[in-house]
Amino acid sequence: MESGYATTPFGRRPMTLGMISSQITARAVPKDATVHKWHVFQDIKDARIALGATDRALAILDALLSFHPDTALYGDSELVVWPSNEQLIRRANGMPPTTLRRHLAVLVECGLIIRRDSPNGKRFARKGQGGEIEQAYGFDISPIVARAEEFKDLADAVRSEKKAFRLVKERLTICRRDIVKMIDTGIEEGVPANWGRVQQAYQAIVGQIPRTAPRQILEAIAEELEGLWTEVREALESFIKTQKMDANESRNGRHIQNSKPDSQFESENGSGDEDEAGGNVADTDNVRSLPKRELPLGIVLDACPNMLWLVKGGGGIRNWREFLAAAEVARPTMGISPSAWEEARTAMGEQQAAITIAAIYQRQDQINSAGGYLRSLTDRAKAGKFSVWPMVMALLRAKLDASKTTGAEAAAVDLEMAGKVVRTESRLEISDALRRSLDKPVRRS
């Protein structure tokens, strides 16, 4: 015999207000009410925490419902089942009798079942002459019918909360993934922004996420992350718009916005005055008239001596292979992405692309976005409107102009140092004829 609650004032078990409330609810069930017991049981499972039921208690309720022969439960029918403890234990997949009694009490306390005790405390049914059940003692499952709507509302609320929690977790995951990718893209593409501050802000927000937290806290953190996401996105979109404007202006014959207007090697003619600064490789046909032969390494190094800083041990650059290696070192220091470098090598050729990198490295203090500038030059190369000759010649002209300003002695020291670093017999010195040609004004086509 089990401990529990009596249904009459003469029972040996104490009555509780919860028990009386369950009985009142059961008696109030409409006679025409009909429910699917397994559908209601699913709602009870979903609302288990709200109802205060345990997993073991629901396993017993499942077993109790299985003792009722009908799937549909009616408000006007007798809804009492009377299995023995042994039968319940078998259908509940086995559990100690003490555990069974404890969780039966939980079902009663939650108002999911009502005890209908016999005078001697045993469970049984008394049948009439026609074989019909006149009186049954055991467990009344009528609350399943009486509270079906309540269980459904509770289950819907729990499902909605679970869905909201899942959605906010997804928001956090997607937002974190997108921010990390956008930060990497911004750094790789050389987008002007304080990416160190952005990374610190991201880590500060992510550090607030606890292992377990209510949905409201996660939503607040998600809103912070989305604010940072918007900030980073706007920075990237603004940069992309600027690049598009630069590309359009390049087609109209103007310098790209990422370079300063006095960048002397952006002009096709290599002149630094304001009149010629507006004409670049994209709007002239002079590329066709430029020399078809490759630039000698010595002239390139004369024009771009800063590349020698990148050689380990100060051993100098003695061949094109070492020059290409130096270009590989210069590229990431200027924030040029691997994709921009690969695209340039495909469009220009590996050697021409390396010379372009050297020229940009030589004038990097005059260029706001080296990566954007390289992409612009790559686009010109694809259209057949770019050559490294004007770049190198403009750098040499600037070097000669600087020597006139600072004096011939400073220029001589420059050339002497370059000669010491190159250390090659085949290096081409700048001839007097080339000097005179660089000093002459270039006629525009």
Side-chain angles (χ1 to χ4, degrees):
M1 185 175 64
E2 303 163 356
S3 62
Y5 296 86
T7 57
T8 71
F10 305 103
R12 290 178 295 176
R13 301 183 183 92
M15 296 287 290
T16 67
L17 292 177
M19 180 62 185
I20 295 173
S21 175
S22 298
Q23 291 177 348
I24 293 173
T25 301
R27 285 196 298 268
V29 60
K31 298 302 180 182
D32 58 348
T34 304
V35 300
H36 192 298
K37 66 180 181 182
W38 299 122
H39 291 173
V40 179
F41 180 69
Q42 184 60 51
D43 290 337
I44 293 172
K45 286 174 62 178
D46 291 341
R48 174 182 61 82
I49 296 177
L51 290 170
T54 61
D55 291 336
R56 289 290 188 89
L58 292 186
I60 296 171
L61 179 60
D62 187 4
L64 286 172
L65 292 176
S66 70
F67 283 103
H68 194 282
D70 298 327
T71 300
L73 304 181
Y74 302 94
D76 60 351
S77 62
E78 185 67 29
L79 298 175
V80 178
V81 293
W82 54 93
S84 66
N85 283 2
E86 290 74 13
Q87 290 173 318
L88 272 176
I89 289 173
R90 282 197 298 269
R91 292 205 185 181
N93 299 321
M95 64 177 64
T98 54
T99 303
L100 175 69
R101 288 192 292 268
R102 185 170 65 252
H103 290 290
L104 279 171
V106 171
L107 291 176
V108 174
E109 290 171 3
C110 294
L112 297 174
I113 61 173
I114 301 172
R115 286 185 181 274
R116 301 293 187 191
D117 286 344
S118 66
N120 62 3
K122 294 184 180 295
R123 302 177 203 135
F124 62 90
R126 182 179 292 115
K127 298 182 179 180
Q129 292 181 353
E132 294 181 358
I133 297 175
E134 292 181 346
Q135 182 68 46
Y137 298 99
F139 300 105
D140 188 348
I141 59 174
S142 58
I144 301 297
V145 181
R147 301 178 62 187
E149 289 298 324
E150 176 190 347
F151 296 148
K152 186 178 186 304
D153 292 341
L154 282 173
D156 287 343
V158 171
R159 292 179 193 123
S160 297
E161 180 63 23
K162 286 184 177 179
K163 181 179 180 181
F165 189 84
R166 184 180 69 254
L167 290 177
V168 73
K169 292 283 285 185
E170 290 176 357
R171 282 171 59 194
L172 282 172
T173 301
I174 294 172
C175 203
R176 291 176 66 176
R177 180 190 64 199
D178 288 353
I179 289 175
V180 170
K181 287 185 177 180
M182 288 192 295
I183 290 175
D184 290 344
T185 300
I187 295 173
E188 184 178 286
E189 297 293 340
V191 178
N194 190 346
W195 295 113
R197 182 194 65 80
V198 174
Q199 287 178 320
Q200 291 176 356
Y202 169 75
Q203 293 296 338
I205 297 173
V206 172
Q208 302 174 25
I209 303 177
R211 286 185 175 273
T212 57
R215 172 179 55 84
Q216 292 77 6
I217 292 179
L218 294 182
E219 285 183 343
I221 297 175
E223 288 179 3
E224 286 190 65
L225 273 178
E226 286 171 349
L228 182 63
W229 182 93
T230 301
E231 180 183 342
V232 177
R233 183 78 177 183
E234 287 177 353
L236 295 180
E237 289 179 349
S238 176
F239 180 75
I240 292 172
K241 291 177 182 177
T242 302
Q243 295 301 304
K244 289 181 178 178
M245 292 175 60
D246 293 343
N248 292 336
E249 290 179 356
S250 294
R251 285 193 290 270
N252 293 330
R254 288 179 287 177
H255 276 294
I256 63 171
Q257 296 293 329
N258 287 327
S259 297
K260 294 185 178 180
D262 60 348
S263 181
Q264 297 187 24
F265 61 80
E266 293 175 28
S267 171
E268 168 65 23
N269 297 321
S271 176
D273 62 28
E274 183 178 356
D275 180 53
E276 292 185 351
N280 60 23
V281 180
D283 62 349
T284 66
D285 293 327
N286 285 349
V287 172
R288 299 190 185 96
S289 62
L290 291 171
K292 300 301 181 184
R293 67 181 184 277
E294 298 292 341
L295 271 166
L297 178 59
I299 291 180
V300 174
L301 291 173
D302 277 341
C304 309
N306 289 354
M307 291 292 286
L308 301 170
W309 302 345
L310 304 174
V311 180
K312 292 182 179 181
I317 297 176
R318 292 159 294 197
N319 50 53
W320 283 111
R321 180 175 56 81
E322 293 179 354
F323 184 81
L324 293 174
E328 288 283 1
V329 176
R331 175 194 63 76
T333 64
M334 295 185 291
I336 296 175
S337 67
S339 61
W341 171 232
E342 182 62 30
E343 189 177 355
R345 289 196 299 180
T346 302
M348 304 177 187
E350 193 169 41
Q351 186 170 308
Q352 301 295 312
I355 295 173
T356 305
I357 288 288
I360 295 175
Y361 187 72
Q362 186 67 27
R363 290 289 187 178
Q364 62 177 320
D365 58 329
Q366 299 180 14
I367 302 174
N368 293 332
S369 175
Y373 187 55
L374 179 62
R375 288 189 184 277
S376 177
L377 297 181
T378 301
D379 291 340
R380 300 179 201 173
K382 291 177 180 178
K385 298 180 179 180
F386 172 74
S387 170
V388 293
W389 278 86
M391 283 181 130
V392 174
M393 294 301 105
L395 287 170
L396 289 173
R397 180 185 298 278
K399 188 174 182 179
L400 290 174
D401 290 344
S403 68
K404 292 177 182 178
T405 303
T406 59
E409 182 179 352
V413 171
D414 246 358
L415 291 173
E416 182 182 356
M417 290 180 63
K420 289 179 180 178
V421 175
V422 173
R423 299 179 183 176
T424 176
E425 296 292 336
S426 60
R427 177 176 174 275
L428 297 179
E429 299 289 339
I430 299 178
S431 65
D432 292 335
L434 179 58
R435 290 177 183 273
R436 287 195 298 272
S437 68
L438 291 174
D439 288 333
K440 292 179 182 179
V442 181
R443 186 181 54 156
R444 300 183 59 154
S445 59

